[in-house]
Amino acid sequence: MIIQIIVSIGALLVLIGLWGLLTRRNLIKMIIGFSIMDTGTHLIIVGLGYRKGATAPILDSSITPGTHFVDPIPSALVLTAIVIGLAVTALMLAYAVRLHSSRGSALIEDFKENTL
Amino acid sequence: MIKRFLAIIALLGAAAVLLPFVLKLPTEEALPGLASEYIENAPGELGAANLVTGIIVTYRGLDTLGEVAVLFAATAAVGLLLKRTGNEGGVSHWRASEILESGGGFLFPLIILYGVYIFLHGHLTPGGGFQGGVVIATGFLLLLLSGSVNSFNHTVMSLVESFSGFAYVAVALAGLIWAAGFLDPRFLPQGDFGRLFSAGAIPVIYSLIGLKVGAELIGILDAMRCKVRREGVTA
């Protein structure tokens, strides 16, 4: 049950982020929307690896034979996704700073093809 | 108006794509074939207590190498976009408060120690190279905010970054020569399960990744700091 809620929150975050990306005109706000969408995707991927009553796939003294583990592959994929998301966000912010310093504006409609 | 309508249509499409994830979550307890294979074999094959680390560094090691390469490309692009034009420098415009200044100096070594701990124990506990690298970078961010350093030594930073990237590939190639294949960590002894010196070359690889990620994120922070100071933004 709890995992349905978490994955639903993830899906909701993806939709909120997409809405921000499509309707905001300020570059920084669009990047924030992208970040929210990113977080939602991570929640969904991690949620897909969940199994009822299972524990984290780390072996220590508390693990007995017959213990169930959650799927370790989505966790590994999300780790990759988080780092790449960070790098892409930094890159987008750098572009936004650069665009702002070249035109003095952070609104997307000031960067139409024919006005450049 | 038409724009908003199109946005709503796009959202409805995305919702239709996401709905199956929410409705058809896996409910059975058994894991899919590949995952149960990893869980069964990884502890014996690799000797890593943290199975996620075993998967990231070994089974999907090529992925991780590509990820580090993407991170490097993004850092290089950020550095290029926020390139210094020459006349920056001079005094910093803001002065940090006394609390931030002394607190930053006090916390910095502890944060670095914590980051090193996280990436050295990546094969035993939750954590690893990426997390440790980010923690180290936050330590340097604190130094920047508290104003106790004005610039980082670029030679040292690029040396650390290139050395760790080069050594990562060298360790991967060593696996090709002395073990089963590229990125195979088993050319070093497995050691006792659950000890710091165990799991073959996994801690070595993860430490190198930690250094590289840390150096790259510090590079991003440095590029953004230069930009802020050049524009004369006061905090």
Side-chain angles (χ1 to χ4, degrees), chain A residues 3-5 7-12 14-19 22-25 44 47-54 57-60 67-77 79-84 86-98 100-101 108-109 112, chain B residues 3-4 6-8 10-12 14-15 18 21-32 34-35 38-39 43 48-52 55-56 60 63-64 66-68 70-71 73-75 77-78 80-83 124-127 130-131 134 193 206 213 217 220 224 227 231:
Chain A
I3 200 65
Q4 259 90 2
I5 297 172
V7 174
S8 311
I9 291 174
L12 200 64
V14 171
L15 295 180
I16 292 172
L18 192 62
W19 174 259
L22 291 174
T23 59
R24 296 300 101 175
R25 299 179 334 198
I44 293 177
L48 292 181
Y50 176 81
R51 292 293 181 280
K52 207 168 182 315
I58 296 169
L59 306 170
D60 57 20
T67 312
H68 289 288
F69 290 117
V70 299
D71 194 340
I73 299 174
S75 314
L77 290 179
L79 197 122
T80 312
I82 289 173
V83 177
I84 300 295
L86 174 87
V88 170
T89 309
L91 187 57
M92 286 192 297
L93 285 171
Y95 269 118
V97 168
R98 190 62 189 261
H100 181 265
S101 63
I108 192 74
E109 64 253 32
K112 284 186 180 143
Chain B
K3 254 188 189 165
R4 189 139 295 207
L6 286 177
I8 290 174
L11 276 189
L12 286 179
L18 292 170
F21 286 116
V22 180
L23 293 180
K24 292 190 191 150
L25 275 176
T27 45
E28 76 275 20
E29 292 210 343
L31 290 174
L34 185 62
Y38 281 162
I39 285 182
N50 186 345
L51 298 180
V52 178
I55 290 173
I56 288 173
R60 307 211 158 230
D63 254 18
T64 309
E67 182 186 354
V68 171
V70 169
L71 195 59
T75 313
V78 170
L80 187 72
L81 283 171
L82 303 180
K83 191 167 59 189
L124 304 175
T125 53
F130 294 102
Q131 297 90 323
V134 173
F193 189 84
Y206 237 7
V213 170
L217 292 184
I220 290 182
M224 291 187 165
K227 184 74 187 169
E231 308 225 316

Side-chain angles (χ1 to χ4, degrees), chain B:
Chain B
M1 196 58 221
I2 184 87
K3 254 188 189 165
R4 189 139 295 207
F5 180 67
L6 286 177
I8 290 174
I9 293 204
L11 276 189
L12 286 179
V17 171
L18 292 170
L19 205 57
F21 286 116
V22 180
L23 293 180
K24 292 190 191 150
L25 275 176
T27 45
E28 76 275 20
E29 292 210 343
L31 290 174
L34 185 62
S36 49
E37 192 90 347
Y38 281 162
I39 285 182
E40 247 164 62
N41 298 335
E45 273 180 4
L46 305 174
N50 186 345
L51 298 180
V52 178
T53 296
I55 290 173
I56 288 173
V57 176
T58 306
Y59 297 123
R60 307 211 158 230
L62 209 57
D63 254 18
T64 309
L65 190 60
E67 182 186 354
V68 171
V70 169
L71 195 59
F72 172 71
T75 313
V78 170
L80 187 72
L81 283 171
L82 303 180
K83 191 167 59 189
R84 274 163 293 166
T85 42
N87 60 344
E88 52 56 69
V91 281
S92 179
H93 286 282
W94 85 67
R95 202 167 143 58
S97 72
E98 181 103 25
I99 298 173
L100 186 56
E101 221 177 293
S102 34
F106 172 70
L107 282 176
F108 175 71
L110 295 178
I111 292 176
I112 299 297
L113 186 68
Y114 183 51
V116 171
Y117 169 83
I118 288 179
F119 69 62
L120 275 183
H121 288 72
H123 58 304
L124 304 175
T125 53
F130 294 102
Q131 297 90 323
V134 173
V135 169
I136 288 180
T138 57
F140 280 89
L141 176 63
L142 192 61
L143 273 196
L144 277 183
L145 288 179
S146 66
S148 36
V149 283
N150 266 330
S151 75
F152 296 130
N153 189 335
H154 289 166
T155 324
V156 174
M157 259 169 47
S158 51
L159 263 183
V160 169
E161 192 179 335
S162 346
F163 163 77
S164 47
F166 173 77
Y168 183 15
V169 178
V171 170
L173 285 174
L176 189 63
I177 298 168
W178 288 295
F182 193 68
L183 278 164
D184 190 336
R186 287 175 296 175
F187 65 91
L188 288 179
Q190 286 232 350
D192 295 330
F193 189 84
R195 293 270 166 193
L196 180 56
F197 292 102
S198 68
I202 287 180
V204 180
I205 295 177
Y206 237 7
S207 304
L208 292 170
I209 292 177
L211 285 179
K212 187 154 176 66
V213 170
E216 269 159 12
L217 292 184
I218 293 166
I220 290 182
L221 293 178
D222 197 43
M224 291 187 165
R225 176 195 64 95
C226 291
K227 184 74 187 169
V228 167
R229 274 180 54 194
R230 187 161 69 247
E231 308 225 316
V233 177
T234 45

